[in-house]
Amino acid sequence: MMKGHCVFALLCGAAAVPAAYAQTSDAPAQGGQSSGVDQIEDIVVTASRRSETILKTPIAVSAYSGDKLRAAQTVALTDLVGPNPNIQIGNSYNSANVAIRGIGNGSSINAGSDSGVSIQVDGVYMAQPLLTLSTFLDVARVEVLRGPQGTLFGRNATGGAVNIIPNEPTPDVHYGFDVTAGIDPGRINTAGYVSGPLNASGTLTARLSAQQTYNRGYTKNLSRPQTYAPGYSNNLVTTNAPSRLDDANNQSVRGQIKWEPSDSFNARLLVEYQRDHSDGPATFLEGTPDPTQPLPAILEGQSVGSVRKREVYNNEALRRIEGKNVNLTLNWALGSGDLKAVGSYADTKIHNIQDGDGTDALHTYSDFNNKTHQYYGELLYSSDASKPFTYIIGTNYFHEKLKQDISVPISLLPMPVDLGAKINTTSYAFFGHAQYALTPEAKIFAGVRYTHDKKVDLDDYNSYVGVLPRQSTSSSQLTYEVGASYAFNTTLDAYLKYATGYKGGGFSAGGLAPAFDPEKNTNLEAGLKGWFFDRGLQANIAAFHMKYDNLQVNQINGASTQVVNAAKATIYGIEAETVIRPVEALRFEVSGAYLHATFDRFRTGDPARPNLGTVDPDGTRRFDLDGNTLPQAPRYSVSAGGYYEVPISSGKVTLGARYDWKSRLYFSEFNIPVSSQAAVGKLNLSLNYESEDRRITASLFAKNVTNEQVKSNVIVVSALIGSLALSQYQPPRQIGASFGYHF
């Protein structure tokens, strides 16, 4: 297997050799006044659908340039959880679990529901962003927008949005490559790119990027293949018990061609292929949600491994994900503004097999197969930004065809629970946003969006029920925002806004639960962004108060997931991000958040504890969750880093240390200890070298130095499977070195 990885690494390097890359050519697209990772950047973002600095953007947004991501060994979206306030990211079986300010998609398994965080890659809304968690391929910038983005980004963005912007072809010839190697376990990451003109006039340019990520696996699997479970149903057959789990085996390649015949028009075609052929995350058995509740008889006395030693017993594990997408972007510079058109097609295949009990017994596992075809188009017109009155108007269309098959063999049942569905989702929207400068310092802005969503289940099947009745949901909503901003001076801005959000309803494919209602929210937010002490201190602060109606919550019922509507929830808090440079050689980066996210009214049953709770008049036992904390919403988050530069004859060396800490967070609305992560912090250390011309970089790094074992997700299955609490963990300690050359 290693031979294949080495071949891919050599190809990346070989692709980079024929041309040259000038770091300064790409830098203006990544940052404002300074492009180096060692400076306090007034980075340019497109969070408002225009190119503006963070200071002038009235949104709670964090942005990371490609340079900074490389310097911090940030290879995937999951690596941004530490330094970014109020964001949590993890895997949940066959979906990407991204939550901002406590709002995301929970433990979504069955098709029919959407995430509350919108993810855009190259300006395209991605309904199946699972590969985004595991790889960053040649990115110029990553933006994390917090709070409802119901006007400009729209679709289902009640919690926020993540924008991933790739580097584009450049008019000059450039190249670059990076290699990272690590130990315990062995790992190697390689990335390379080539960019430059294809003709003498420079009207036709191209960029080729490739990336490979491999690690042997952080967790040792002690289980071995078995064929049946004596004394139980013989429907459980295991054939794939890999020796290591929590591994990585990802490859990505992207090609772009840009045609720019004049200053007023350009067209860019992007073609990308990504795949993940790993064995997936390890599943650890944490126990049951009720200490008095025994394990199923088949699990009594079974070996469960050790989280501390990163050893586990998983009879089944497989992860096969492939994604292809083609984007066409057209830009016209008109006399009074700019017109942008985007068209995209994406194809995703997901096959995951995951152990369902975390022991050496053949009790249960889950086999997921998803295939999707996505079509997306958007038309956006932006007026002249130099005028006192500016506006953006647009429309977009989204259509997805999804086919899902889930098989859950359970030792106590005569045959597996098989669920199947074919779902078509269609969504379209019309939106506009305007801003008027009352004075050069004072501005008012407003936006509105009309969204229509429709989901149709063409084929729904459950092996214990048969063919289920077809379901469909349809809803429309008008969302808006109004606000004002004021520039006290050239380095200090403030804003105040009120915004609404909307997330379409749906149904849980393959289950018997009724359709669930759309989710709606409002957000009152105030922000202050500025530079102080002769630009030695940058501080971005946001305070917010959000109210949710019909908040969508995922619960595992039987062998499937169902979505229920919580009545109401309230979320409020404050976020701060600061960069301090007391002297030229020393820089501190400190961010923190306080988040109070609770259910106001929510009464529901727990499928894992059907015999607990109070009895309602209809005979159903339910829990009163009023005041419970929302999942994925730690009360406090702090990240503090210090970086000291030492000049040397050929460049500079930067000593770095960062500590990321979060208070206890729950993975379930029931706030039970077994489904939570206690307060924990991680220490990262780095030693970075950068040559004087910034062409050569090298580093030594140690991430999670104290080897903390931190849960990334916990799922509590229903009583049908044994009410088991099953967890996945973030990577333990990582030690490695990297080298990069960018010319």
Side-chain angles (χ1 to χ4, degrees), residues 521-735:
N521 68 329
T522 61
N523 180 39
L524 179 62
E525 183 171 300
L528 184 69
K529 302 180 179 185
W531 300 81
F532 306 91
F533 306 113
D534 194 25
R535 299 179 71 89
L537 166 66
Q538 181 189 20
N540 298 335
I541 303 171
F544 55 90
H545 187 280
M546 301 191 293
K547 300 286 289 186
Y548 278 80
D549 286 323
N550 287 325
L551 177 66
Q552 296 171 10
V553 180
N554 290 277
Q555 295 181 346
I556 295 181
N557 192 7
S560 64
T561 298
Q562 68 179 33
V563 178
V564 297
N565 290 108
K568 292 181 181 297
T570 298
I571 302 174
Y572 61 84
I574 187 169
E575 302 158 341
E577 295 177 282
T578 65
V579 182
I580 309 165
R581 186 184 284 276
V583 295
E584 183 65 24
L586 183 62
R587 184 180 83 256
F588 295 103
E589 297 180 0
V590 181
S591 64
Y594 167 77
L595 181 66
H596 186 277
T598 58
F599 295 104
D600 296 334
R601 291 201 305 271
F602 188 21
R603 185 167 175 78
T604 182
D606 184 357
R609 298 177 294 168
N611 298 321
L612 297 181
T614 58
V615 181
D616 282 355
D618 63 0
T620 303
R621 290 185 176 272
R622 292 185 174 90
F623 290 86
D624 189 347
L625 304 185
D626 298 2
N628 274 22
T629 298
L630 268 64
Q632 302 281 0
R635 183 66 59 93
Y636 302 99
S637 302
V638 177
S639 176
Y643 306 89
Y644 184 73
E645 299 170 5
V646 180
I648 58 177
S649 59
S650 61
K652 64 180 177 182
V653 172
T654 302
L655 305 172
R658 194 185 81 226
Y659 187 73
D660 304 321
W661 179 89
K662 294 182 186 297
S663 63
R664 179 179 293 273
L665 66 85
Y666 294 98
F667 299 98
S668 162
E669 65 274 19
F670 297 102
N671 289 185
I672 48 181
V674 74
S675 182
S676 70
Q677 170 60 56
V680 67
K682 289 184 178 182
L683 174 65
N684 300 329
L685 301 176
S686 61
L687 176 65
N688 294 340
Y689 166 78
E690 183 179 73
S691 64
E692 188 174 5
D693 57 10
R694 302 185 64 236
R695 294 179 180 178
I696 298 175
T697 59
S699 69
L700 298 173
F701 62 88
K703 303 174 72 172
N704 191 6
V705 174
T706 56
N707 201 32
E708 302 292 336
Q709 305 301 326
V710 182
K711 298 172 187 174
S712 62
N713 195 29
V714 178
I715 292 178
V716 181
V717 301
S718 70
L720 175 68
I721 305 176
S723 302
L724 309 176
L726 305 171
S727 64
Q728 299 170 5
Y729 280 79
Q730 298 175 14
R733 180 169 45 233
Q734 303 171 68
I735 300 173

Side-chain angles (χ1 to χ4, degrees), residues 174-254:
H174 316 301
Y175 75 86
F177 68 88
D178 293 273
V179 178
T180 301
I183 58 174
D184 193 27
R187 58 174 289 198
I188 181 168
N189 303 343
T190 60
Y193 57 90
V194 184
S195 183
L198 295 180
N199 59 3
S201 63
T203 58
L204 197 64
T205 58
R207 189 179 188 102
L208 177 65
S209 311
Q211 178 175 288
Q212 166 268 339
T213 302
Y214 170 82
N215 80 59
R216 181 168 171 255
Y218 297 111
T219 303
K220 185 178 181 180
N221 186 15
L222 303 178
S223 184
R224 292 295 177 263
Q226 304 175 48
T227 56
Y228 66 94
Y232 292 85
S233 168
N234 62 1
N235 65 53
L236 283 129
V237 177
T238 178
T239 58
N240 182 39
S243 61
R244 309 287 296 195
L245 294 167
D246 292 319
D247 61 328
N249 184 5
N250 311 320
Q251 292 85 34
S252 307
V253 61
R254 178 194 301 139

Side-chain angles (χ1 to χ4, degrees), residues 503-523:
K503 176 182 173 183
F507 43 82
S508 302
L512 302 177
F516 51 87
D517 295 328
E519 172 183 298
K520 303 175 184 179
N521 68 329
T522 61
N523 180 39

Side-chain angles (χ1 to χ4, degrees), residues 218-220 284 305-312 707 709:
Y218 297 111
T219 303
K220 185 178 181 180
F284 290 88
S306 167
V307 174
R308 183 182 60 82
K309 296 180 180 179
R310 292 303 284 250
E311 295 177 346
V312 75
N707 201 32
Q709 305 301 326

